[in-house]
Amino acid sequence: MKKLVLAVSVALLAACASPKQEQIDFAPQATMSAAKIVEGKSFTLSSKDVRTAQYVALLDNGRSNITPVHSKQNVRVSLENLLTQQFSSQGYHVTVNSSNSLKLELQEALVSVRHSVMENDIDGNVTIELTAENAKGKLVKTYNGTAKRSGVMSASDEDIATVLNDTVSLVLKEIANDQELQDYMKERF
């Protein structure tokens, strides 16, 4: 019994001593419409995260040590909420039982960071696919965003979060201002 208690104690102490996994805040901004573009149109919003890994950043310090960084928030759920806000500001109602559907597929949301004590290079890539569909047809659009940032000293969590959030915010702005998507949804929904 003493050996079991000792083994459990050692395991717990080792777990407490191991470094915490880094996390950043995922807080992009929705692009809100100043005026409603539709009245009384609704759709069902669904989302899927098809990224191969759930981390949002990879830190490479150049010494064969690459560290993944995760988001404090669920990226898929956050994007779904942001799109709901955007489309609601345009006059759409997001419901659970509409014959119109909008599907969000998160294909990539990754910031690659190469840094040393003296400098850092940050590259962000975001890819989102939207599918607007109902009995009248289907429109599939892919939105890409990229960002690059360089600086002195090593990159901070805030630097990484800024690049990721700004890149996602730009993609959301592109979705909000996509005239083809707006026209399709106005005509068919």
Side-chain angles (χ1 to χ4, degrees), residues 4-62:
L4 179 62
V5 170
L6 182 61
V8 170
S9 298
V10 169
L12 286 173
L13 286 173
C16 291
S18 64
K20 297 277 187 234
Q21 193 171 27
E22 286 191 63
Q23 292 186 330
I24 60 172
D25 274 323
F26 183 72
Q29 299 297 312
T31 301
M32 306 306 277
S33 179
K36 295 189 183 307
I37 58 173
V38 297
E39 233 10 271
K41 297 194 181 266
S42 65
F43 63 87
T44 301
L45 179 63
S46 61
S47 61
K48 182 168 49 169
D49 189 345
V50 297
R51 296 177 296 156
T52 54
Q54 297 304 301
Y55 49 79
V56 293
L58 285 174
L59 305 178
D60 181 357
N61 64 10

Side-chain angles (χ1 to χ4, degrees), residues 47-179:
S47 61
K48 182 168 49 169
D49 189 345
V50 297
R51 296 177 296 156
T52 54
Q54 297 304 301
Y55 49 79
V56 293
L58 285 174
L59 305 178
D60 181 357
N61 64 10
R63 293 179 288 243
S64 300
N65 186 17
I66 298 176
T67 307
V69 178
H70 294 269
S71 168
K72 292 178 185 174
Q73 298 79 11
N74 183 311
V75 176
R76 179 193 60 80
V77 171
S78 296
L79 283 172
E80 193 174 302
N81 291 336
L82 291 166
L83 278 178
T84 298
Q85 290 173 19
Q86 279 189 196
F87 284 111
S88 294
S89 77
Q90 293 177 349
Y92 290 97
H93 297 287
V94 179
T95 67
V96 292
N97 57 355
S98 176
S99 60
N100 305 314
S101 73
L102 189 66
K103 295 176 187 150
L104 159 72
E105 184 174 281
L106 177 60
Q107 297 177 344
E108 183 179 21
L110 183 64
V111 176
S112 298
V113 182
R114 287 169 305 289
H115 68 132
S116 66
V117 176
M118 301 305 291
E119 65 182 354
N120 68 71
D121 291 311
I122 304 173
D123 296 327
N125 292 302
V126 175
T127 304
I128 294 174
E129 182 180 277
L130 283 183
T131 303
E133 185 174 15
N134 64 9
K136 298 177 186 174
K138 177 180 186 177
L139 174 71
V140 179
K141 298 276 304 220
T142 302
Y143 302 91
N144 296 301
T146 59
K148 292 186 182 305
R149 181 175 176 175
S150 297
V152 294
M153 310 306 277
S154 63
S156 68
D157 288 349
E158 291 78 26
D159 294 336
I160 297 165
T162 297
V163 170
L164 177 63
N165 291 328
D166 288 353
T167 308
V168 173
S169 295
L170 287 172
V171 170
L172 290 171
K173 185 175 184 177
E174 185 182 347
I175 292 169
N177 297 324
D178 184 348
Q179 197 61 51

